[in-house]
Amino acid sequence: MEVLMSIVAGVLFTAAVYLMLSKSLLRIIIGTGLLSHGAHLLILTMGGLKKGAAPLLGEHAQSYVDPLPQALILTAIVISFGVTSFFLVLAYRSYQELGTDDMDQLRGNDQHE
Amino acid sequence: MTLLHLAILSPFLAAILVPFLYKLFRKVHTGWFVLVLPILLFIYFSQFVNRTMEGQPVISIANWIPSLGINFTVYIDGLGLLFALLITGIGALVILYSIYYLSKNKEQLHTFYVYLLLFMGAMLGVVLSDNIIVLYTFWEFTSLSSFLLIGYWYKREKSRNGAQKSMLITIFGGLLMLGGFIMLYIMTNSFSIREIIGQVPEMSQHDLFISALVLILFGAFTKSAQFPFYIWLPDAMEAPTPVSAYLHSATMVKAGIYLVARFSPVFSGTPEWFWIVSAFGIFTMFWGSFNAAKQTDLKGILAFSTVSQLGMIMSMLGVGSAAIALDSLDDNIFIVATLAAIFHLINHATFKGSLFMVVGIIDHETGTRDIRKLGGLMSLMPITFTISIIGAFSMAGLPPFNGFLSKEMFFTSMIRVLEMDVFNVETIGLLFPIFAWVGSIFTFIYSMILVFKTFTGKYQPEKLEKKPHEAPIGMLISPMILASLVIIFFFFPNILAYTIIEPAMASILPSLLADGGHFHVHISGWHGPTPELYMTIGVVLLGVLGYLTLTKWRSVYRIVPKKLTLNKGYDRALYCLDKSSLGITKFYMTGFIRDYLVYIFTFFIVILGTALIIKQGFSFSLEGTAPVGIYETVLAAVMIIGTITVLFSKSRLTAIIALGSVGYTLSLFFVLFRAPDLALTQLCVETVSVALFLLCFYHLPEFKKKEKKLRFRMTNLIISLGVGTIVTLIALSANSQRVTETIASYFIENSYKLAGGKNMVNVILVDFRGFDTLFEITVLGIASLGIYGMIRVNVKREEEG
């Protein structure tokens, strides 16, 4: 199972990097979204999969899955959400101000370094 | 902290006072206040002569950084004292001269004297420090203050260029020298020169010994303007003439000589030291005098002549180092070279200082230093003429001036190279006296040019800016004192021999002396019809001939085209460095974010990939993995399809919805992998994110709505595949070789017992690891404030605009 999930995470990383290398600002942000999905999946996989019940003591199970990676991922999800929404609004504002979302045009010029 | 330390630091302290004195007493020339200090210092240092004559050095330690072994240790022996007396004595004369040279009304006197005092203190620190790190500190201070003084008239471009050039070259050498010092420390575990000298026998076998030797010589050669580093010195002539007289003839350029002399006890006796020091020295001597004869600027002649004379002293120190290779003192014929080096060091300071001051007077009184415009000043400026005759004849090595004595000894030591049976000198040893002799002929020629082209010949008043007349008496005092010293040292050289030269030789060649022993030096003007006397006669005859036929052989200088000179090479190198670094920067700093991401990802792939291969970190095993279920396989397929849809979507709307599908699939994975809290959060966050994406999408400007296909780029594909593969490989390897057990059991056991909660994830978030959550909340708060700010700022600007 871990092998399959590692491959899925690898596919997510590949797609994310490919999108981040493109010209459009929106695609770059979509790429960062995919990258954080891949990273979260990777953390979960590395903690080991399906080793027991959900981490709720009320279950009275023999064994539970590792709760620590889940806590870490929860933190990461919230932080990446905050950063993504900030970037989105930033992108939206730069459309408004600069009238373009093409990264090749968003460069400093000689007067502006 | 003793009086000695205070004496060395007093110029720095005085430099603080100078601007106040300048502002408070505008009527008095600031130089008068400054003049007091070097005179006091000269008297103070003179009293140590008795101690050093008896071979008892003065040592005084002040702690600076004792934990690193760096202390301000003052060590006064013969060599240090000789330099200290030169620095303070000539310093006083130069300041006296500058009072009349620099105008009270036109010049920024306070900056001049601050820089000059900084320099004087730094020089005293260099020659009297026993700790090499302290020595290096003062050494760089001399470079810095010299830079400031050369660029004193900072509105002239030539001054700025000269200052920059001297700075670059001397700092380059200084840094290499620091490297040599650190190597010495590695070998001996001490920064103290005395202790280093004590450890020479063990140290000379060390691997770093030769590297340290070469690096320290780099420092000495750049500072003392040896070939090929002499090029900064002629350009430093843009400085005011008192500065040229003080720094660039008598003191700073001799710091390199001092360094070679000071480290002679460490390195001499090795063939490398002998060969580098004497070969570069003798060639510099020849090259400098050869080039001096073609200059038309008086200060240019003096600059090249300084280069040549420094080369001469350097070569004598090199030959003198051979004395160590012979054990007995009595019939040691190479000692004379060291003696000559020290004697000429003093002589050069006297006659070169006076010549610079003379040139300054001519410049001051006629408005030009160009020998093609000057001539016939003999009757107009008789005193200046007399002083320059004394200086120039001494420089040429004629009796009855002190230059004659040291030049004879120079020839003696060069002839004795022929008798040397160490260091494989037999084959090319003959070149030493030949270079010395030819160099001396050119020295004679340029000395004659200096005097006779200026003071004899036709008087050309129409070419001069001012009407020339004799200089004021104040300006003449200093050169007169120096010129009388030139004559006194010829007739009574032995007053120097016992007091100054013998102790200085004892510090350069300590291993030749038994305990309490003395060198016995007796200098005499007449020593019989020896080969060196015939050489001098030859120099005079050929020199006179060369001077009279000057116009005929001057074309010699055109053999080497201007493009191939060292200066052009230096300029070219700087230009190329500038251009190529700009080119390299422009090549990779493109301004495109994509390019930078390509660098970052490529680096990521290469570093991690090679680490995996070199360390053989890759491993793969299925042990301990969970079985593959049908639901997970289907979900994985859905996720991969969603991802590929994002990649290949033609419209952005499709891409956003496909991204949403990936997010929801991830939350389904969380459900399957027993993570209910994660599933819940992921579901909410994904919904809000997709809504935000759609919002941005909706606000795209009209003309940008034209959809275009994602541009396919092969490099992008290769790089992204590389990143994905590396991530997968590392994940597989990490999963296959777990080193330690998880700490999950602690949370499972204690969630209820210690924290009173049954949902372990939530207990970890708010109890066991509550700090993470606190700052994650902060992150969200900052993000929301940032978003609010971005939108509000816009509104405000629209209202204002």
Side-chain angles (χ1 to χ4, degrees), chain B residues 570-609:
Chain B
Y570 169 84
D571 292 342
R572 189 87 208 142
L574 270 198
Y575 178 79
C576 288
L577 197 69
D578 223 26
K579 278 278 154 195
S580 56
S581 52
L582 186 70
I584 291 170
T585 311
K586 283 214 162 160
F587 171 72
Y588 78 93
M589 296 296 282
T590 54
F592 292 111
I593 290 187
R594 178 186 169 269
D595 290 341
Y596 305 148
L597 286 174
V598 167
Y599 306 149
I600 294 169
F601 287 129
T602 314
F603 188 74
F604 173 86
I605 295 167
V606 170
I607 287 293
L608 292 180

mmCIF file of all heavy atoms in Angstrom, chain B residues 570-609:
data_model
loop_
_atom_site.group_PDB
_atom_site.id
_atom_site.type_symbol
_atom_site.label_atom_id
_atom_site.label_comp_id
_atom_site.label_asym_id
_atom_site.label_seq_id
_atom_site.Cartn_x
_atom_site.Cartn_y
_atom_site.Cartn_z
ATOM 1 N N TYR B 570 47.127 45.344 -16.389
ATOM 2 C CA TYR B 570 46.308 45.507 -15.183
ATOM 3 C C TYR B 570 44.941 46.092 -15.543
ATOM 4 O O TYR B 570 43.898 45.596 -15.115
ATOM 5 C CB TYR B 570 47.054 46.413 -14.209
ATOM 6 C CG TYR B 570 46.246 46.884 -13.040
ATOM 7 C CD1 TYR B 570 46.113 46.097 -11.902
ATOM 8 C CD2 TYR B 570 45.596 48.117 -13.073
ATOM 9 C CE1 TYR B 570 45.365 46.526 -10.830
ATOM 10 C CE2 TYR B 570 44.850 48.546 -12.010
ATOM 11 C CZ TYR B 570 44.742 47.754 -10.882
ATOM 12 O OH TYR B 570 43.991 48.187 -9.831
ATOM 13 N N ASP B 571 44.961 47.158 -16.365
ATOM 14 C CA ASP B 571 43.695 47.778 -16.766
ATOM 15 C C ASP B 571 42.811 46.779 -17.499
ATOM 16 O O ASP B 571 41.609 46.688 -17.266
ATOM 17 C CB ASP B 571 43.964 48.981 -17.677
ATOM 18 C CG ASP B 571 44.624 50.106 -16.901
ATOM 19 O OD1 ASP B 571 44.540 50.078 -15.670
ATOM 20 O OD2 ASP B 571 45.225 50.981 -17.546
ATOM 21 N N ARG B 572 43.463 46.047 -18.398
ATOM 22 C CA ARG B 572 42.745 45.061 -19.206
ATOM 23 C C ARG B 572 42.127 43.995 -18.279
ATOM 24 O O ARG B 572 40.976 43.612 -18.438
ATOM 25 C CB ARG B 572 43.754 44.429 -20.166
ATOM 26 C CG ARG B 572 43.199 43.554 -21.225
ATOM 27 C CD ARG B 572 42.801 44.334 -22.466
ATOM 28 N NE ARG B 572 41.725 43.612 -23.120
ATOM 29 C CZ ARG B 572 40.696 44.185 -23.707
ATOM 30 N NH1 ARG B 572 40.589 45.494 -23.755
ATOM 31 N NH2 ARG B 572 39.750 43.466 -24.257
ATOM 32 N N ALA B 573 42.906 43.551 -17.299
ATOM 33 C CA ALA B 573 42.418 42.505 -16.397
ATOM 34 C C ALA B 573 41.219 43.013 -15.608
ATOM 35 O O ALA B 573 40.212 42.312 -15.477
ATOM 36 C CB ALA B 573 43.531 42.071 -15.450
ATOM 37 N N LEU B 574 41.316 44.263 -15.124
ATOM 38 C CA LEU B 574 40.184 44.815 -14.368
ATOM 39 C C LEU B 574 38.953 44.920 -15.254
ATOM 40 O O LEU B 574 37.842 44.581 -14.852
ATOM 41 C CB LEU B 574 40.532 46.205 -13.844
ATOM 42 C CG LEU B 574 41.185 46.319 -12.485
ATOM 43 C CD1 LEU B 574 41.050 47.743 -11.974
ATOM 44 C CD2 LEU B 574 40.566 45.368 -11.491
ATOM 45 N N TYR B 575 39.194 45.401 -16.495
ATOM 46 C CA TYR B 575 38.080 45.566 -17.422
ATOM 47 C C TYR B 575 37.427 44.227 -17.723
ATOM 48 O O TYR B 575 36.206 44.081 -17.696
ATOM 49 C CB TYR B 575 38.618 46.219 -18.699
ATOM 50 C CG TYR B 575 37.590 46.410 -19.792
ATOM 51 C CD1 TYR B 575 36.695 47.468 -19.733
ATOM 52 C CD2 TYR B 575 37.535 45.531 -20.857
ATOM 53 C CE1 TYR B 575 35.756 47.635 -20.718
ATOM 54 C CE2 TYR B 575 36.598 45.694 -21.851
ATOM 55 C CZ TYR B 575 35.706 46.754 -21.784
ATOM 56 O OH TYR B 575 34.767 46.903 -22.764
ATOM 57 N N CYS B 576 38.270 43.221 -17.976
ATOM 58 C CA CYS B 576 37.731 41.902 -18.307
ATOM 59 C C CYS B 576 36.978 41.315 -17.114
ATOM 60 O O CYS B 576 35.916 40.713 -17.282
ATOM 61 C CB CYS B 576 38.843 40.949 -18.714
ATOM 62 S SG CYS B 576 39.528 41.337 -20.305
ATOM 63 N N LEU B 577 37.531 41.527 -15.923
ATOM 64 C CA LEU B 577 36.869 41.019 -14.720
ATOM 65 C C LEU B 577 35.477 41.622 -14.591
ATOM 66 O O LEU B 577 34.487 40.928 -14.335
ATOM 67 C CB LEU B 577 37.723 41.387 -13.509
ATOM 68 C CG LEU B 577 37.457 40.642 -12.216
ATOM 69 C CD1 LEU B 577 37.896 39.214 -12.370
ATOM 70 C CD2 LEU B 577 38.211 41.297 -11.085
ATOM 71 N N ASP B 578 35.447 42.938 -14.799
ATOM 72 C CA ASP B 578 34.193 43.666 -14.731
ATOM 73 C C ASP B 578 33.186 43.135 -15.741
ATOM 74 O O ASP B 578 32.052 42.806 -15.408
ATOM 75 C CB ASP B 578 34.513 45.127 -15.064
ATOM 76 C CG ASP B 578 33.798 46.066 -14.153
ATOM 77 O OD1 ASP B 578 33.492 45.642 -13.027
ATOM 78 O OD2 ASP B 578 33.546 47.208 -14.572
ATOM 79 N N LYS B 579 33.663 43.048 -16.997
ATOM 80 C CA LYS B 579 32.788 42.627 -18.091
ATOM 81 C C LYS B 579 32.311 41.200 -17.882
ATOM 82 O O LYS B 579 31.146 40.888 -18.060
ATOM 83 C CB LYS B 579 33.542 42.703 -19.424
ATOM 84 C CG LYS B 579 33.578 44.072 -20.027
ATOM 85 C CD LYS B 579 32.301 44.336 -20.775
ATOM 86 C CE LYS B 579 32.071 45.832 -20.807
ATOM 87 N NZ LYS B 579 30.748 46.223 -21.185
ATOM 88 N N SER B 580 33.262 40.322 -17.515
ATOM 89 C CA SER B 580 32.877 38.922 -17.456
ATOM 90 C C SER B 580 31.940 38.685 -16.279
ATOM 91 O O SER B 580 30.989 37.909 -16.397
ATOM 92 C CB SER B 580 34.105 38.021 -17.361
ATOM 93 O OG SER B 580 34.873 38.402 -16.262
ATOM 94 N N SER B 581 32.164 39.394 -15.146
ATOM 95 C CA SER B 581 31.230 39.153 -14.041
ATOM 96 C C SER B 581 29.858 39.701 -14.385
ATOM 97 O O SER B 581 28.837 39.086 -14.060
ATOM 98 C CB SER B 581 31.757 39.764 -12.740
ATOM 99 O OG SER B 581 32.089 41.102 -12.936
ATOM 100 N N LEU B 582 29.836 40.833 -15.092
ATOM 101 C CA LEU B 582 28.537 41.349 -15.540
ATOM 102 C C LEU B 582 27.888 40.356 -16.489
ATOM 103 O O LEU B 582 26.691 40.077 -16.407
ATOM 104 C CB LEU B 582 28.727 42.702 -16.225
ATOM 105 C CG LEU B 582 27.443 43.411 -16.609
ATOM 106 C CD1 LEU B 582 26.720 43.898 -15.378
ATOM 107 C CD2 LEU B 582 27.720 44.567 -17.543
ATOM 108 N N GLY B 583 28.712 39.808 -17.411
ATOM 109 C CA GLY B 583 28.176 38.858 -18.382
ATOM 110 C C GLY B 583 27.621 37.622 -17.696
ATOM 111 O O GLY B 583 26.511 37.174 -18.016
ATOM 112 N N ILE B 584 28.389 37.105 -16.725
ATOM 113 C CA ILE B 584 27.930 35.893 -16.039
ATOM 114 C C ILE B 584 26.636 36.177 -15.290
ATOM 115 O O ILE B 584 25.677 35.410 -15.350
ATOM 116 C CB ILE B 584 29.024 35.385 -15.076
ATOM 117 C CG1 ILE B 584 30.210 34.859 -15.885
ATOM 118 C CG2 ILE B 584 28.494 34.300 -14.169
ATOM 119 C CD1 ILE B 584 31.430 34.564 -15.063
ATOM 120 N N THR B 585 26.616 37.333 -14.601
ATOM 121 C CA THR B 585 25.407 37.662 -13.841
ATOM 122 C C THR B 585 24.207 37.809 -14.777
ATOM 123 O O THR B 585 23.129 37.299 -14.503
ATOM 124 C CB THR B 585 25.624 38.962 -13.057
ATOM 125 O OG1 THR B 585 26.845 38.863 -12.363
ATOM 126 C CG2 THR B 585 24.505 39.202 -12.089
ATOM 127 N N LYS B 586 24.441 38.511 -15.887
ATOM 128 C CA LYS B 586 23.315 38.690 -16.814
ATOM 129 C C LYS B 586 22.878 37.376 -17.424
ATOM 130 O O LYS B 586 21.713 37.201 -17.779
ATOM 131 C CB LYS B 586 23.715 39.671 -17.924
ATOM 132 C CG LYS B 586 23.700 41.094 -17.468
ATOM 133 C CD LYS B 586 23.281 42.009 -18.583
ATOM 134 C CE LYS B 586 22.836 43.341 -17.995
ATOM 135 N NZ LYS B 586 22.865 44.408 -18.963
ATOM 136 N N PHE B 587 23.832 36.462 -17.562
ATOM 137 C CA PHE B 587 23.511 35.187 -18.190
ATOM 138 C C PHE B 587 22.557 34.378 -17.329
ATOM 139 O O PHE B 587 21.594 33.818 -17.827
ATOM 140 C CB PHE B 587 24.796 34.402 -18.439
ATOM 141 C CG PHE B 587 24.571 32.998 -18.881
ATOM 142 C CD1 PHE B 587 24.092 32.739 -20.162
ATOM 143 C CD2 PHE B 587 24.807 31.946 -18.019
ATOM 144 C CE1 PHE B 587 23.866 31.439 -20.568
ATOM 145 C CE2 PHE B 587 24.578 30.644 -18.426
ATOM 146 C CZ PHE B 587 24.111 30.391 -19.708
ATOM 147 N N TYR B 588 22.804 34.330 -16.026
ATOM 148 C CA TYR B 588 21.928 33.465 -15.231
ATOM 149 C C TYR B 588 20.860 34.228 -14.465
ATOM 150 O O TYR B 588 19.833 33.656 -14.128
ATOM 151 C CB TYR B 588 22.741 32.548 -14.302
ATOM 152 C CG TYR B 588 23.284 33.197 -13.060
ATOM 153 C CD1 TYR B 588 22.564 33.164 -11.870
ATOM 154 C CD2 TYR B 588 24.512 33.814 -13.078
ATOM 155 C CE1 TYR B 588 23.072 33.760 -10.742
ATOM 156 C CE2 TYR B 588 25.011 34.402 -11.956
ATOM 157 C CZ TYR B 588 24.291 34.384 -10.789
ATOM 158 O OH TYR B 588 24.779 34.977 -9.678
ATOM 159 N N MET B 589 21.080 35.549 -14.191
ATOM 160 C CA MET B 589 20.024 36.318 -13.528
ATOM 161 C C MET B 589 19.132 36.898 -14.613
ATOM 162 O O MET B 589 19.250 38.067 -14.968
ATOM 163 C CB MET B 589 20.632 37.425 -12.686
ATOM 164 C CG MET B 589 21.487 36.943 -11.531
ATOM 165 S SD MET B 589 20.583 36.028 -10.292
ATOM 166 C CE MET B 589 19.808 37.361 -9.416
ATOM 167 N N THR B 590 18.232 36.062 -15.158
ATOM 168 C CA THR B 590 17.461 36.494 -16.317
ATOM 169 C C THR B 590 16.282 37.360 -15.934
ATOM 170 O O THR B 590 15.749 38.093 -16.749
ATOM 171 C CB THR B 590 16.942 35.281 -17.070
ATOM 172 O OG1 THR B 590 16.235 34.478 -16.128
ATOM 173 C CG2 THR B 590 18.068 34.483 -17.671
ATOM 174 N N GLY B 591 15.802 37.258 -14.692
ATOM 175 C CA GLY B 591 14.601 37.970 -14.310
ATOM 176 C C GLY B 591 13.341 37.130 -14.493
ATOM 177 O O GLY B 591 12.262 37.516 -14.053
ATOM 178 N N PHE B 592 13.462 35.968 -15.140
ATOM 179 C CA PHE B 592 12.305 35.073 -15.295
ATOM 180 C C PHE B 592 12.244 34.123 -14.108
ATOM 181 O O PHE B 592 13.220 33.412 -13.824
ATOM 182 C CB PHE B 592 12.425 34.242 -16.566
ATOM 183 C CG PHE B 592 12.306 35.045 -17.823
ATOM 184 C CD1 PHE B 592 13.401 35.231 -18.642
ATOM 185 C CD2 PHE B 592 11.094 35.609 -18.183
ATOM 186 C CE1 PHE B 592 13.303 35.979 -19.783
ATOM 187 C CE2 PHE B 592 10.988 36.354 -19.331
ATOM 188 C CZ PHE B 592 12.095 36.537 -20.142
ATOM 189 N N ILE B 593 11.094 34.107 -13.436
ATOM 190 C CA ILE B 593 10.969 33.223 -12.267
ATOM 191 C C ILE B 593 11.142 31.772 -12.676
ATOM 192 O O ILE B 593 11.731 30.968 -11.951
ATOM 193 C CB ILE B 593 9.611 33.467 -11.592
ATOM 194 C CG1 ILE B 593 9.656 34.840 -10.946
ATOM 195 C CG2 ILE B 593 9.326 32.397 -10.553
ATOM 196 C CD1 ILE B 593 8.486 35.170 -10.117
ATOM 197 N N ARG B 594 10.671 31.448 -13.890
ATOM 198 C CA ARG B 594 10.772 30.063 -14.334
ATOM 199 C C ARG B 594 12.222 29.594 -14.350
ATOM 200 O O ARG B 594 12.524 28.483 -13.918
ATOM 201 C CB ARG B 594 10.195 29.943 -15.741
ATOM 202 C CG ARG B 594 10.319 28.546 -16.261
ATOM 203 C CD ARG B 594 9.888 28.408 -17.683
ATOM 204 N NE ARG B 594 10.308 27.090 -18.135
ATOM 205 C CZ ARG B 594 11.454 26.834 -18.704
ATOM 206 N NH1 ARG B 594 12.317 27.810 -18.915
ATOM 207 N NH2 ARG B 594 11.756 25.609 -19.072
ATOM 208 N N ASP B 595 13.109 30.467 -14.813
ATOM 209 C CA ASP B 595 14.512 30.064 -14.875
ATOM 210 C C ASP B 595 15.062 29.756 -13.482
ATOM 211 O O ASP B 595 15.775 28.783 -13.294
ATOM 212 C CB ASP B 595 15.343 31.167 -15.529
ATOM 213 C CG ASP B 595 15.038 31.275 -17.012
ATOM 214 O OD1 ASP B 595 14.488 30.295 -17.548
ATOM 215 O OD2 ASP B 595 15.328 32.329 -17.598
ATOM 216 N N TYR B 596 14.706 30.619 -12.527
ATOM 217 C CA TYR B 596 15.211 30.377 -11.165
ATOM 218 C C TYR B 596 14.668 29.073 -10.618
ATOM 219 O O TYR B 596 15.376 28.327 -9.939
ATOM 220 C CB TYR B 596 14.843 31.531 -10.241
ATOM 221 C CG TYR B 596 15.309 32.870 -10.740
ATOM 222 C CD1 TYR B 596 14.607 34.020 -10.480
ATOM 223 C CD2 TYR B 596 16.472 32.963 -11.492
ATOM 224 C CE1 TYR B 596 15.031 35.244 -10.942
ATOM 225 C CE2 TYR B 596 16.908 34.173 -11.974
ATOM 226 C CZ TYR B 596 16.186 35.324 -11.696
ATOM 227 O OH TYR B 596 16.610 36.523 -12.162
ATOM 228 N N LEU B 597 13.365 28.805 -10.914
ATOM 229 C CA LEU B 597 12.795 27.536 -10.440
ATOM 230 C C LEU B 597 13.503 26.361 -11.095
ATOM 231 O O LEU B 597 13.736 25.330 -10.445
ATOM 232 C CB LEU B 597 11.295 27.488 -10.748
ATOM 233 C CG LEU B 597 10.437 28.379 -9.845
ATOM 234 C CD1 LEU B 597 8.996 28.377 -10.322
ATOM 235 C CD2 LEU B 597 10.495 27.880 -8.416
ATOM 236 N N VAL B 598 13.858 26.534 -12.383
ATOM 237 C CA VAL B 598 14.602 25.463 -13.059
ATOM 238 C C VAL B 598 15.919 25.206 -12.329
ATOM 239 O O VAL B 598 16.272 24.057 -12.054
ATOM 240 C CB VAL B 598 14.848 25.811 -14.534
ATOM 241 C CG1 VAL B 598 15.869 24.865 -15.149
ATOM 242 C CG2 VAL B 598 13.554 25.757 -15.314
ATOM 243 N N TYR B 599 16.649 26.295 -11.955
ATOM 244 C CA TYR B 599 17.912 26.097 -11.220
ATOM 245 C C TYR B 599 17.655 25.337 -9.921
ATOM 246 O O TYR B 599 18.374 24.400 -9.573
ATOM 247 C CB TYR B 599 18.589 27.425 -10.865
ATOM 248 C CG TYR B 599 18.828 28.368 -12.013
ATOM 249 C CD1 TYR B 599 18.815 29.736 -11.812
ATOM 250 C CD2 TYR B 599 19.069 27.882 -13.291
ATOM 251 C CE1 TYR B 599 19.035 30.612 -12.857
ATOM 252 C CE2 TYR B 599 19.284 28.764 -14.340
ATOM 253 C CZ TYR B 599 19.261 30.119 -14.119
ATOM 254 O OH TYR B 599 19.467 30.984 -15.143
ATOM 255 N N ILE B 600 16.630 25.799 -9.203
ATOM 256 C CA ILE B 600 16.386 25.210 -7.874
ATOM 257 C C ILE B 600 16.048 23.732 -8.004
ATOM 258 O O ILE B 600 16.609 22.875 -7.311
ATOM 259 C CB ILE B 600 15.251 25.975 -7.166
ATOM 260 C CG1 ILE B 600 15.698 27.408 -6.858
ATOM 261 C CG2 ILE B 600 14.843 25.271 -5.881
ATOM 262 C CD1 ILE B 600 14.566 28.297 -6.412
ATOM 263 N N PHE B 601 15.146 23.419 -8.924
ATOM 264 C CA PHE B 601 14.734 22.012 -9.051
ATOM 265 C C PHE B 601 15.870 21.147 -9.580
ATOM 266 O O PHE B 601 16.041 20.013 -9.139
ATOM 267 C CB PHE B 601 13.510 21.892 -9.959
ATOM 268 C CG PHE B 601 12.244 22.379 -9.311
ATOM 269 C CD1 PHE B 601 11.417 23.283 -9.954
ATOM 270 C CD2 PHE B 601 11.879 21.926 -8.054
ATOM 271 C CE1 PHE B 601 10.254 23.730 -9.351
ATOM 272 C CE2 PHE B 601 10.718 22.372 -7.449
ATOM 273 C CZ PHE B 601 9.904 23.278 -8.099
ATOM 274 N N THR B 602 16.625 21.676 -10.531
ATOM 275 C CA THR B 602 17.747 20.891 -11.063
ATOM 276 C C THR B 602 18.744 20.584 -9.949
ATOM 277 O O THR B 602 19.222 19.451 -9.814
ATOM 278 C CB THR B 602 18.457 21.668 -12.181
ATOM 279 O OG1 THR B 602 17.476 22.205 -13.047
ATOM 280 C CG2 THR B 602 19.390 20.780 -12.947
ATOM 281 N N PHE B 603 19.012 21.603 -9.134
ATOM 282 C CA PHE B 603 19.929 21.403 -8.009
ATOM 283 C C PHE B 603 19.387 20.321 -7.077
ATOM 284 O O PHE B 603 20.127 19.420 -6.658
ATOM 285 C CB PHE B 603 20.070 22.727 -7.260
ATOM 286 C CG PHE B 603 21.109 22.714 -6.199
ATOM 287 C CD1 PHE B 603 22.450 22.746 -6.532
ATOM 288 C CD2 PHE B 603 20.758 22.668 -4.862
ATOM 289 C CE1 PHE B 603 23.420 22.727 -5.554
ATOM 290 C CE2 PHE B 603 21.718 22.650 -3.881
ATOM 291 C CZ PHE B 603 23.047 22.684 -4.225
ATOM 292 N N PHE B 604 18.089 20.416 -6.800
ATOM 293 C CA PHE B 604 17.414 19.431 -5.942
ATOM 294 C C PHE B 604 17.614 18.020 -6.489
ATOM 295 O O PHE B 604 18.015 17.099 -5.785
ATOM 296 C CB PHE B 604 15.930 19.821 -5.908
ATOM 297 C CG PHE B 604 15.013 18.858 -5.220
ATOM 298 C CD1 PHE B 604 14.829 18.923 -3.850
ATOM 299 C CD2 PHE B 604 14.317 17.914 -5.946
ATOM 300 C CE1 PHE B 604 13.963 18.047 -3.223
ATOM 301 C CE2 PHE B 604 13.453 17.040 -5.318
ATOM 302 C CZ PHE B 604 13.284 17.114 -3.962
ATOM 303 N N ILE B 605 17.360 17.869 -7.808
ATOM 304 C CA ILE B 605 17.482 16.535 -8.419
ATOM 305 C C ILE B 605 18.926 16.049 -8.354
ATOM 306 O O ILE B 605 19.197 14.909 -7.947
ATOM 307 C CB ILE B 605 17.020 16.581 -9.894
ATOM 308 C CG1 ILE B 605 15.532 16.896 -9.977
ATOM 309 C CG2 ILE B 605 17.295 15.251 -10.587
ATOM 310 C CD1 ILE B 605 15.079 17.254 -11.358
ATOM 311 N N VAL B 606 19.841 16.932 -8.737
ATOM 312 C CA VAL B 606 21.241 16.492 -8.833
ATOM 313 C C VAL B 606 21.784 16.122 -7.454
ATOM 314 O O VAL B 606 22.371 15.049 -7.272
ATOM 315 C CB VAL B 606 22.106 17.609 -9.479
ATOM 316 C CG1 VAL B 606 23.579 17.276 -9.362
ATOM 317 C CG2 VAL B 606 21.712 17.787 -10.922
ATOM 318 N N ILE B 607 21.554 17.002 -6.464
ATOM 319 C CA ILE B 607 22.111 16.736 -5.129
ATOM 320 C C ILE B 607 21.522 15.467 -4.539
ATOM 321 O O ILE B 607 22.244 14.558 -4.102
ATOM 322 C CB ILE B 607 21.834 17.947 -4.212
ATOM 323 C CG1 ILE B 607 22.724 19.102 -4.584
ATOM 324 C CG2 ILE B 607 22.058 17.571 -2.755
ATOM 325 C CD1 ILE B 607 24.196 18.867 -4.317
ATOM 326 N N LEU B 608 20.182 15.365 -4.547
ATOM 327 C CA LEU B 608 19.581 14.191 -3.910
ATOM 328 C C LEU B 608 19.856 12.930 -4.712
ATOM 329 O O LEU B 608 20.110 11.869 -4.133
ATOM 330 C CB LEU B 608 18.072 14.410 -3.749
ATOM 331 C CG LEU B 608 17.715 15.489 -2.742
ATOM 332 C CD1 LEU B 608 16.220 15.637 -2.634
ATOM 333 C CD2 LEU B 608 18.283 15.151 -1.379
ATOM 334 N N GLY B 609 19.844 13.067 -6.052
ATOM 335 C CA GLY B 609 20.110 11.895 -6.888
ATOM 336 C C GLY B 609 21.511 11.364 -6.661
ATOM 337 O O GLY B 609 21.699 10.160 -6.412
#
